[in-house]
Structure formats: C-alpha cells, structure tokens
C-alpha cells in the first residue's frame, strides 16, 4: 500500500482491532436490539427479580468469552506489540480494570450461585457503548456514548437502581469503584480529542496526527 514505515508498523494493530471491533460490535448490536433483552433501553432491568442461583444465558456467556479473551490478549499486546503512546500506561490499566469487571462478575456467578451475572452484563453493555461508535472516535459521537450514555445508563443503574431493587446488594462498592475508574479514563481520553480539535482550529497541525503519539525525537528517547 506504499505506507510510510511509521504507518506500516501500526498496520497490524489497526487491522486486528478493526476485525475484532467489527465482530464484537455486530454481536453486541444483535444482543441489544434483536433479542428480548431490555438492557440498553432499561439498564436497571438486569436487577429485576434478582435471586440467588440465576444462570448465565448462553448468548451472554459468549459475550463474556469474547470480551475476556480480547482484553486478556490486549494486556500483552499493549505492553509488547502495539505502538507505545503517551496513554499506553492508562490503556494497560483500562484493560486490567475491564478484564477484572467482566471476569470477576462471571466468576461470582458460578462460584456464588449465580449472584452477579447481571453486573457483568452491565459492564459489557458499558463497553459496547464505546464500541457503538468506532468510526466516530474524533467526533461528538464519542462524547455521546462514553460521557453521556455511560453515566446515564450504566452508572445510574449500578449506583442507584441496584440499591433500590436489591437492598444489601453484594459486591456493590467493588464493581462501582471500577466502573467509576473507567469513567475517569473516558474523561482522560476525551481531553485528548479536545486537544486535537484545538490544535487543528489554531493551525498548529498541518495533517491528521494522533496527539497521543510521541514526536520523532521523543520516540527515540522512549
């Protein structure tokens, strides 16, 4: 494709993420809009009629497997395979937090009589709220999904509705603390977008570049 060496080095990472996000996005759309699950339109519904011994539906279990395998790989890939960027440390933390949310919720479901698969469902829905806009990373879509729908739907359901519907709900502080950490990360990455737009408007950027990446001189030092 006559790519510059810098772009050619990032090509495997970009192609892999394009493949995964396309598959994950498609499966997420199927679960949220082509099944009987009301999670997207009514996130607190995961806590309706909650009881011990709830089983994880097969299609939700597939979503768990898909996301856990991806984030397990992403921890290694970010550290050793992908281009190192200014936010790579935060990205590593994001992968660890997300993997912990999904894996622990699934583990609690099996080890404690099905207590909390609904936690993991909301964690997965929250991740999908970001996947719904993969082509829109540099437009208001990212703000809409990550900083509006995420708090409005996911955090409202986990922080408020869960206590109203299930008093003394188990693992309340553990899961909500991790979800709030993800919220802070979303704000952090949105600031990068604001910085990018500001540089474009002020004429400081002649071509589209990722503001998270190091300059040539900085990358040599790194």
């Amino acid at each position: 494709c006559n790519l510059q060496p810098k772009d050619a080095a990032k090509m495997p990472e970009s192609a892999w993420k394009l493949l995964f996000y396309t598959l994950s996005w498609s499966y997420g759309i199927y679960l949220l809009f082509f099944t009987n699950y009301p999670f997207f339109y009514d996130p607190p519904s995961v806590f309706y009629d909650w009881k011990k011994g709830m089983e994880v539906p097969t299609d939700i279990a597939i979503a768990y497997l898909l996301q856990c395998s991806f984030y397990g790989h992403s921890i290694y890939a970010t550290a050793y395979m992908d281009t190192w960027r200014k936010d790579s440390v935060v990205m590593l933390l994001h992968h660890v937090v997300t993997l912990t949310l999904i894996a622990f919720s699934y583990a609690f479901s099996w080890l404690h009589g099905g207590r909390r698969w609904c936690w993991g469902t909301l964690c997965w829905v929250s991740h999908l709220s970001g996947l719904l806009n993969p082509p829109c990373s540099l437009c208001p879509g990212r703000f809409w999904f990550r900083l509006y729908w995420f708090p409005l739907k996911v955090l409202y359901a986990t922080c408020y509705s869960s206590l109203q519907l299930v008093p003394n709900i188990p693992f309340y502080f553990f899961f909500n603390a991790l979800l709030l950490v993800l919220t802070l990360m979303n704000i952090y990455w949105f600031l990068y977008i604001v910085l990018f737009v500001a540089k474009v408007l002020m004429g400081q950027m002649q071509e589209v570049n990722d503001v998270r990446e190091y300059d040539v001189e900085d990358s040599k030092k790194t």
Side-chain angles (χ1 to χ4, degrees):
C1 298
N2 296 322
L3 296 173
Q4 296 296 322
K6 178 182 177 182
D7 296 326
K10 295 184 294 184
M11 185 63 183
E13 173 190 352
S14 300
W16 158 243
K17 289 183 178 178
L18 174 63
L19 174 62
F20 171 79
Y21 286 135
T22 300
L23 295 174
S24 179
W25 180 83
S26 300
Y27 188 62
I29 290 296
Y30 163 74
L31 281 181
L32 294 183
F33 302 110
F34 293 95
T35 64
N36 294 324
Y37 297 125
F39 302 143
F40 187 79
Y41 298 105
D42 186 20
S45 63
V46 298
F47 299 106
Y48 296 167
D49 300 322
W50 175 86
K51 61 182 179 180
K52 292 183 179 181
M54 293 174 63
E55 295 183 358
V56 180
T58 301
D59 48 4
I60 296 293
I62 293 174
Y64 271 101
L65 178 62
L66 183 68
Q67 295 296 328
C68 282
S69 60
F70 174 74
Y71 281 105
H73 162 76
S74 294
I75 293 174
Y76 173 83
T78 300
Y80 298 107
M81 298 174 62
D82 297 345
T83 300
W84 193 258
R85 301 179 175 91
K86 297 175 182 177
D87 67 333
S88 291
V89 173
V90 179
M91 185 69 72
L92 275 172
L93 179 61
H94 170 272
H95 296 339
V96 171
V97 169
T98 304
L99 184 61
T100 302
L101 278 167
I102 298 175
F104 270 67
S105 64
Y106 193 83
F108 290 153
S109 174
W110 285 104
L111 298 179
H112 296 276
R115 282 183 176 177
R116 288 292 82 199
W117 74 263
C118 52
W119 278 113
T121 302
L122 281 182
C123 296
W124 191 78
V125 170
S126 71
H127 175 63
L128 181 70
S129 68
L131 291 184
L132 284 173
N133 64 319
C136 307
S137 294
L138 297 178
C139 74
R142 188 175 181 91
F143 173 85
W144 182 265
F145 287 103
R146 298 289 182 91
L147 299 180
Y148 178 70
W149 268 357
F150 181 80
L152 181 67
K153 291 180 176 291
V154 178
L155 294 183
Y156 178 81
T158 61
C159 293
Y160 177 75
S161 300
S162 61
L163 286 178
Q164 303 299 313
L165 297 169
V166 186
N168 301 317
I169 188 170
F171 314 116
Y172 175 85
F173 292 103
F174 173 74
F175 283 108
N176 278 302
L178 294 181
L179 287 171
L180 290 174
V181 169
L182 288 182
T183 303
L184 293 177
M185 293 181 185
N186 289 336
I187 296 173
Y188 170 79
W189 278 307
F190 182 72
L191 293 178
Y192 270 112
I193 298 176
V194 173
L195 176 62
F196 170 83
V197 173
K199 285 189 174 183
V200 171
L201 294 178
M202 297 175 64
Q204 298 178 4
M205 188 176 292
Q206 301 301 321
E207 58 183 16
V208 177
N209 292 318
D210 192 338
V211 294
R212 301 172 303 160
E213 295 181 351
Y214 291 99
D215 295 331
V216 175
E217 293 77 8
D218 294 335
S219 61
K220 290 180 180 178
K221 297 178 183 177
T222 305

